[in-house]
Amino acid sequence: MFTTPDLFSIVDHYITDLYVKEDDALVEAVTAARGFGLPPIEVSPAQGKFLYLLAKIARARRILEIGTLGGYSTIWLARALAKGGELVTLEADPAAAAAASEAFARAGLEQTVRLLVGDATQTLPAVISETGDPFDLVFLDADKVNYPSYFDLFMQRVSSGSLIVADNVIRAGTVLAPRPDDPSASAARTFNALVAADDRLESIILQQVGIKGHDGLTIARVR
Ligand SMILES: C[S@@+](CC[C@H](N)C(=O)[O-])C[C@H]1O[C@@H](n2cnc3c(N)ncnc32)[C@H](O)[C@@H]1O
């Protein structure tokens, strides 16, 4: 008999085997990230495919990602871009940025992905003040404590129909009553309340289980 978390992982593998085809560039992005000493905190293959589908459904031409790690989710998202599209991804850790940069080259995405290295609290304001089209999809997957301030910034550069997607907003249920020593859970709870109260958005949190444990993904659409 399987325990429930085992069952969630087994079903995740079943879904992945059926619906997710990872090519060498995706597989190597994960392998190389471990070689660079990066933690295994990229999205799962099924979550990557889900992000890809969201970007396709949104017909995204411009994507903003905060939190690159080794570039795994970036590759999924960039491959969903409309022809001539651009993805801007922000990463603070130079080792992660180096791994990601090599991963983008292997995936043939050097011309499509713009990787900005530095703390996103510093790099994001400059991206937001650039001229150009708004972002059709924003994927938030970096330090949770700054989700609320990232939200205030990127909401200036989205338009009707844009999607906001934010990972790790349920944190195995710890957002229900964050402990004082868990600032990530407190910030996620604040972020969830901000999104829920924002009349510019139509939003939901998709509760998720699988090989990454129990968490949740915000999906919000700009009215
Ligand atoms: C969960 S990982 C991103 C995983 C990646 N999106 C994927 O699924 O392949 C979070 C990343 O955010 C980065 N990060 C954390 N704080 C940051 C900050 N203030 N500015 C930019 N990047 C940050 C970390 O270095 C880490 O690489």
Side-chain angles (χ1 to χ4, degrees), residues 41-43 65 67-69 71-73 90-93 96 118-121 139 141-143 146 150:
I41 53 173
E42 55 276 316
V43 297
E65 176 184 61
T68 319
L69 195 69
Y72 183 76
S73 58
L90 311 184
E91 174 55 52
D93 176 5
D119 189 325
T121 60
F139 178 45
D141 192 19
D143 48 336
N146 283 312
Y150 296 146

Side-chain angles (χ1 to χ4, degrees), residues 29-197:
V30 174
T31 311
R34 296 301 86 78
F36 273 81
L38 304 177
I41 53 173
E42 55 276 316
V43 297
S44 69
Q47 288 168 330
K49 177 72 179 285
F50 185 66
L51 290 172
Y52 168 90
L53 282 170
L54 285 179
K56 279 267 174 175
I57 291 164
R59 295 188 164 86
R61 293 187 56 80
R62 294 199 80 219
I63 295 176
L64 171 66
E65 176 184 61
I66 307 178
T68 319
L69 195 69
Y72 183 76
S73 58
T74 323
I75 294 172
W76 275 112
L77 286 166
R79 286 179 169 171
L81 281 167
K83 202 168 166 5
E86 181 191 39
L87 186 152
V88 180
T89 186
L90 311 184
E91 174 55 52
D93 176 5
S101 185
E102 291 184 11
F104 301 150
R106 281 192 299 270
L109 291 168
E110 308 100 309
Q111 306 303 316
T112 307
V113 175
R114 183 153 56 103
L115 168 63
L116 301 181
V117 187
D119 189 325
T121 60
Q122 305 298 312
T123 55
L124 184 59
V127 171
I128 297 306
S129 61
E130 286 174 4
T131 54
D133 292 336
F135 291 105
D136 305 303
L137 189 150
V138 178
F139 178 45
L140 191 48
D141 192 19
D143 48 336
K144 314 309 159 195
V145 289
N146 283 312
Y147 272 27
S149 48
Y150 296 146
F151 178 77
D152 287 339
L153 281 166
F154 66 63
M155 284 303 290
Q156 299 169 32
R157 296 290 288 137
V158 291
S159 61
S160 178
S162 296
L163 283 187
I164 316 301
V165 183
D167 203 8
N168 310 124
V169 299
I170 292 298
R171 315 187 68 73
T174 58
V175 291
L176 297 179
R179 292 194 323 254
D181 62 348
D182 189 353
S184 294
S186 297
R189 187 176 170 87
T190 302
F191 175 80
N192 293 341
L194 266 177
V195 172

